[in-house]
Amino acid sequence: MKTRKWLLLVMSVILVTVLAACGGKNGNNSTGGADNGAAGGGSTNAGGQTGDTGGAQELKGHLVIWTFFDQVKDMADQFHAKNPGVTIDVKLFPGDQYQTKLLTALQSGRDVPDIFDLERGYIGKFINSKFLTDLSAMGGDDLVKDYIPYVKELGYSEDGKLRAVSDHSSPGGFWYLRDVAKKYLGTDDPKKIGDMVNSWDKIIDLGKNVAAESGGKEHLIQNAGDLFDIEAYNTQPWVKDGKLNIDPKWKTIYETQLKIRQNNVDAKLPFMSAGWGNALNDGSVVLTSMPAWAGFMVDNKDNKANGKYGVAATPEGFYEGGTYRGIYDKSPNKALAYEFIKYIAGVEWQQHNLEKTGNMPGNAKVYENNLTTFKSPLFGDENILVPYYNTVKNIPPLKADKYGEDILSKWRTVAGDGITNNKSFDDVVAAFKKEVKNAFPELNVD
Amino acid sequence: MNRSYYGYFFVAPFFIGFAVFGLAPILYTLYLSFMKWDGFSDPVFVGVANYTRLLHDSFFYQTIWNTLIIWVFSNTPQLITALLLALVLNEKFIRGKHFFRAVYFFPHIITPVTLGVIFALMFDWQTGSINKILLALGIVQDPVNWFNSAWWSRIIASGVIAWQYFGFNMIVFIAGLQSIPSEVYEAAEVDGATKTQTALHITLPLLRPVFLFVFITSVIGGLQLFDAPLILGDGPNNTGRTMVMYLYETAFKNFDYSYGAAVAYGIFIVVMFFTAITARASKLRE
């Protein structure tokens, strides 16, 4: 009998421990809730404040930010330095599972952040959802009034409400090693090189010369596929009124890509592949189309690459990527979270970010303030903001939609296969339509 | 005194765990497969629409075919190598057999994603070491675009899997070989049986239960191929895309959770079908 009691006691303890462990998340939630409650107090405080961040009335509270991007920690530190009463918990989820994790949390409504990051690749899925607060109603339109048009527009939902803000733009350009450019193009001047490559016809002619001079071993550009990225947002949206829309411009682009491949203009190295990285660093490819944020791909150990690169404009302005930040609609800390958004949309943070990381600003004022003064170690004396600013301000402002990025990705795959295997445009379109119809049966694909 | 109910306490943690992390997701997936849900709005009941769509989905049929091909190409060399090595490393006179068993088992402890990355880099069209070696030896004149070929991309995926699992199967075969009583071999030796006769008429028939285990687990595992092929890519015209890759792309890339759930049940039926065939075929031989 004694044994039986002991066994029952031990089993009960085990079960209670297991159940308590399973419920751990719940427990954290409760704590989170308590924190949020405290922050709620802070938000009331913040809500009462009308001045600029760090103004007369001190902000207090606690914010939770979810991101996939480690530089958000610096953002939080800078905000905290200005507002010591606000503590920020940055939860970093690197990798491509972030969006699934975020969506799952938002769906369940448990353990959710006050602010969360959204990448350009999937912002279109979230921007019209019920999860993002209407920032326009909080005065957000004023925050982005000086913004680069395309950066601003991507934060708006279909109903014209601002729901997310980015603190940067991500323009692209042709990066090149100056000595390699001098060897093959006869100059390392970014303006002159920009003029030499301001059309795809010129690029093909120039590329033929590079291939001929190097005995076919070196190439002008990395990949015909770069055109997908350069032209991606210079074409009409992929879906219009529930119908697949293939901009006729894609035919011209595809034919240009075929010519590039057939004339050995490109090195056939996919973006961000190992070979692509090597070519960027050793100059075996003359021009690499690069987003401004990808400087980490350059091997600059002991500053050996400083001053060795130049950046020239591409035939059409492009951008790649971008991180947006929105406030969870059911957050009890909306007002405080808004102060954070206000801070990152402002000149002070973006100036700091430009100087520290070289990330291009989203606010046009920051561009203009630094056009003739900002230098980046990699690019020596070049005023790199000049080509980037000319690029970004002319990028067509388009809203993000649910399908755009996924359909572009399908086009990139199918058309990329077509270029490799020298297929006709009609064959590529037929295969592409089949893919789109399969993935999105609700769309009208004729 | 009846103490039989104590057992329930001991098995309870497993069943609680299974109910929460196994059964509930399985049932929830079934529920989702009758809905339309993209994760952003509330699920809407659509009846069997997802299953009807699945029945007409040529991309899904293509993934079944791809998976079977990759499975055959990976399993055949994998099991033959595993069996031969097991037979050799089970011999008493082989020196350092424990070392070799460990070495052959090593690929199994590497994650499939890592193996996928290694093979992807090795077979890269422009910069891969395989092409560089072939060019240096003069075997090819131009780099081979491996992943632009349906068959090569499938064979490379199969190679990754065969390389990863042959050591594991070898260990299973060795365990099976060691369970055969030595008396049987001694009797054969007394009767004057040759090594080949012993292998064909004693070892292989007595290994049948092990074969069956290895074969059925490889059918179930092989039809759920995912990680390594995912890293190697879809191949030209999706010829390298497996069933589970399709499920992943549908549910977690296109955010079509409900159709992804139907695909998951479709995969379940396919796996059950081939497992049943395997089990049935093995019974027929009895």
Side-chain angles (χ1 to χ4, degrees):
Chain A
M1 202 60 197
K2 218 174 178 181
T3 323
R4 193 177 153 190
K5 272 184 184 169
W6 271 108
L7 263 173
L8 274 172
L9 185 68
V10 169
M11 288 311 298
S12 307
V13 169
I14 291 172
L15 275 175
V16 167
T17 314
V18 168
L19 290 174
C22 288
K25 242 184 168 174
N26 244 341
N28 288 342
N29 256 345
S30 312
T31 316
D35 279 347
N36 287 344
S43 68
T44 312
N45 206 352
Q49 187 202 29
T50 52
D52 284 337
T53 303
Q57 199 171 347
E58 194 191 343
L59 297 176
K60 277 185 186 158
H62 179 75
L63 288 173
V64 177
I65 304 180
W66 277 25
T67 182
F68 51 89
F69 185 50
D70 66 350
Q71 283 174 11
V72 174
K73 285 179 182 165
D74 184 36
M75 209 177 271
D77 289 343
Q78 295 298 318
F79 185 77
H80 176 68
K82 279 191 72 70
N83 304 282
V86 182
T87 52
I88 301 180
D89 185 7
V90 177
K91 292 192 175 171
L92 182 67
F93 304 101
D96 60 359
Q97 294 308 309
Y98 168 77
Q99 57 168 326
T100 308
K101 185 170 176 55
L102 176 66
L103 184 57
T104 312
L106 295 176
Q107 269 293 337
S108 71
R110 300 173 66 180
D111 219 5
V112 279
D114 300 300
I115 298 171
F116 51 88
D117 279 3
L118 297 167
E119 213 269 332
R120 170 66 185 101
Y122 50 82
I123 190 177
K125 294 192 179 100
F126 285 82
I127 199 82
N128 296 308
S129 74
K130 59 188 177 187
F131 303 123
L132 286 160
T133 298
D134 174 8
L135 300 174
S136 292
M138 302 174 87
D141 295 329
D142 268 355
L143 301 182
V144 291
K145 68 179 189 316
D146 295 326
Y147 257 52
I148 299 293
Y150 99 82
V151 181
K152 175 179 165 178
E153 194 64 15
L154 284 170
Y156 277 88
S157 54
E158 276 171 9
D159 58 2
K161 306 270 171 62
L162 182 72
R163 294 187 189 268
V165 175
S166 177
D167 66 320
H168 60 271
S169 54
S170 40
F174 277 135
W175 288 24
Y176 55 87
L177 275 162
R178 288 177 177 274
D179 53 348
V180 176
K182 266 190 183 166
K183 182 179 167 193
Y184 287 107
L185 309 179
T187 176
D188 66 350
D189 180 59
K191 179 82 179 62
K192 284 182 186 165
I193 293 176
D195 291 341
M196 288 165 86
V197 296
N198 62 11
S199 78
W200 294 111
D201 288 339
K202 284 186 182 177
I203 285 179
I204 292 169
D205 289 340
L206 207 55
K208 283 183 193 168
N209 293 341
V210 172
E213 273 181 47
S214 65
K217 286 183 180 167
E218 293 182 3
H219 304 87
L220 181 67
I221 62 171
Q222 294 260 20
N223 199 322
D226 294 348
L227 269 73
F228 293 125
D229 301 317
I230 294 174
E231 303 291 357
Y233 309 117
N234 288 303
T235 45
Q236 295 167 23
W238 286 104
V239 176
K240 273 186 179 175
D241 304 323
K243 193 178 171 197
L244 177 69
N245 173 49
I246 304 174
D247 188 331
K249 194 176 171 186
W250 281 113
K251 187 173 187 210
T252 317
I253 296 165
Y254 182 74
E255 282 161 0
T256 306
Q257 288 174 302
L258 279 181
K259 272 188 210 162
I260 287 174
R261 183 57 55 88
Q262 286 157 358
N263 287 292
N264 212 11
V265 174
D266 71 327
K268 308 166 194 70
L269 296 168
F271 182 53
M272 292 272 180
S273 65
W276 177 93
N278 287 342
L280 171 69
N281 284 289
D282 65 20
S284 53
V285 170
V286 184
L287 304 173
T288 301
S289 65
M290 287 280 281
W293 48 261
F296 64 90
M297 295 296 294
V298 171
D299 177 13
N300 197 18
K301 197 179 174 194
D302 302 325
N303 298 324
K304 67 180 177 186
N306 278 0
K308 294 194 173 169
Y309 283 82
V311 57
T314 46
E316 283 194 89
F318 80 104
Y319 72 93
E320 175 98 31
T323 306
Y324 285 72
R325 221 149 269 127
I327 300 173
Y328 178 47
D329 199 39
K330 290 182 182 164
S331 164
N333 303 317
K334 277 188 195 174
L336 185 61
Y338 182 74
E339 291 300 322
F340 183 82
I341 299 287
K342 189 195 275 183
Y343 175 70
I344 61 155
V347 170
E348 184 184 344
W349 158 256
Q350 293 191 19
Q351 181 71 33
H352 165 85
N353 194 28
L354 174 68
E355 287 166 12
K356 187 171 177 185
T357 66
N359 272 347
M360 294 296 120
N363 192 322
K365 287 254 182 277
V366 184
Y367 266 107
E368 284 157 10
N369 294 344
N370 293 277
L371 270 183
T372 53
T373 51
F374 179 76
K375 311 277 184 207
S376 167
L378 278 182
F379 299 93
D381 283 336
E382 185 181 350
N383 293 121
I384 58 167
L385 256 59
V386 175
Y388 285 146
Y389 188 46
N390 290 335
T391 290
V392 285
K393 67 182 183 187
N394 292 319
I395 290 172
L398 295 171
K399 284 193 169 62
D401 66 46
K402 182 181 165 189
Y403 301 104
E405 289 296 300
D406 288 337
I407 295 182
L408 174 66
S409 167
K410 291 198 182 299
W411 176 255
R412 192 184 272 128
T413 305
V414 177
D417 177 58
I419 295 157
T420 306
N421 296 299
N422 203 18
K423 289 181 185 169
S424 73
F425 182 72
D426 290 343
D427 286 349
V428 167
V429 168
F432 171 64
K433 284 182 173 175
K434 199 178 162 196
E435 289 269 355
V436 174
K437 205 170 189 171
N438 176 65
F440 307 108
E442 69 275 21
L443 289 181
N444 180 2
V445 182
D446 52 26
Chain B
M1 184 177 176
N2 183 6
R3 296 184 177 190
S4 60
Y5 62 87
Y6 287 149
Y8 292 116
F9 282 106
F10 287 103
V11 296
F14 168 76
F15 281 99
I16 292 170
F18 176 72
V20 174
F21 300 109
L23 191 62
I26 289 170
L27 294 176
Y28 186 61
T29 306
L30 184 65
Y31 157 79
L32 271 189
S33 70
F34 294 105
M35 300 286 160
K36 178 159 181 58
W37 190 47
D38 62 0
F40 292 92
S41 46
D42 295 327
V44 178
F45 181 74
V46 291
V48 293
N50 286 319
Y51 290 101
T52 313
R53 181 179 161 193
L54 186 66
L55 283 173
H56 295 92
D57 186 348
S58 59
F59 286 87
F60 180 63
Y61 293 121
Q62 186 193 24
T63 63
I64 299 175
W65 175 238
N66 294 340
T67 312
L68 286 174
I69 291 173
I70 294 173
W71 177 77
V72 169
F73 275 93
S74 68
N75 247 43
T76 313
Q78 186 193 133
L79 295 186
I80 292 172
T81 314
L83 183 62
L84 289 176
L85 285 171
L87 288 169
V88 172
L89 294 177
N90 196 41
E91 289 295 337
K92 284 178 188 151
F93 60 86
I94 298 287
R95 277 190 173 182
K97 58 186 175 187
H98 296 296
F99 171 74
F100 284 110
R101 282 178 195 174
V103 167
Y104 293 138
F105 189 75
F106 277 158
H108 188 65
I109 60 175
I110 303 173
T111 63
V113 172
T114 312
L115 290 179
V117 171
I118 293 170
F119 275 69
L121 289 173
M122 277 165 55
F123 285 91
D124 186 89
W125 177 24
Q126 298 294 88
T127 56
S129 51
I130 300 291
N131 270 341
K132 288 195 172 162
I133 292 168
L134 293 178
L135 285 168
L137 294 174
I139 296 170
V140 295
Q141 298 305 314
D142 294 306
V144 182
N145 192 345
W146 306 98
F147 295 110
N148 188 42
S149 150
W151 285 100
W152 275 122
S153 52
R154 288 165 175 161
I155 287 170
I156 293 166
S158 306
V160 177
I161 293 146
W163 195 62
Q164 188 184 12
Y165 286 102
F166 83 93
F168 171 78
N169 287 322
M170 178 195 74
I171 296 291
V172 176
F173 281 131
I174 288 175
L177 287 170
Q178 289 179 347
S179 69
I180 300 173
S182 56
E183 292 83 1
V184 188
Y185 288 110
E186 285 160 12
E189 205 177 330
V190 170
D191 289 344
T194 62
K195 280 270 177 199
T196 318
Q197 283 173 325
T198 310
L200 288 177
H201 299 292
I202 295 177
T203 310
L204 293 183
L206 288 175
L207 269 185
R208 267 192 64 191
V210 181
F211 273 123
L212 190 63
F213 168 77
V214 167
F215 210 67
I216 289 185
T217 50
S218 82
V219 168
I220 296 169
L223 293 178
Q224 297 179 59
L225 291 173
F226 174 61
D227 347 35
L230 181 76
I231 301 296
L232 295 171
D234 282 341
N237 299 319
N238 303 316
T239 45
R241 182 159 69 179
T242 66
M243 290 189 291
V244 184
M245 281 166 73
Y246 188 56
L247 158 64
Y248 171 75
E249 286 176 17
T250 306
F252 301 108
K253 282 176 85 177
N254 296 340
F255 281 81
D256 195 345
Y257 291 118
S258 45
Y259 187 56
V263 171
Y265 272 91
I267 294 171
F268 171 71
I269 290 164
V270 172
V271 173
M272 287 302 291
F273 175 73
F274 285 103
T275 310
I277 288 181
T278 313
R280 179 80 184 151
S282 63
K283 271 186 188 168
L284 286 177
R285 277 187 276 134
E286 269 176 10

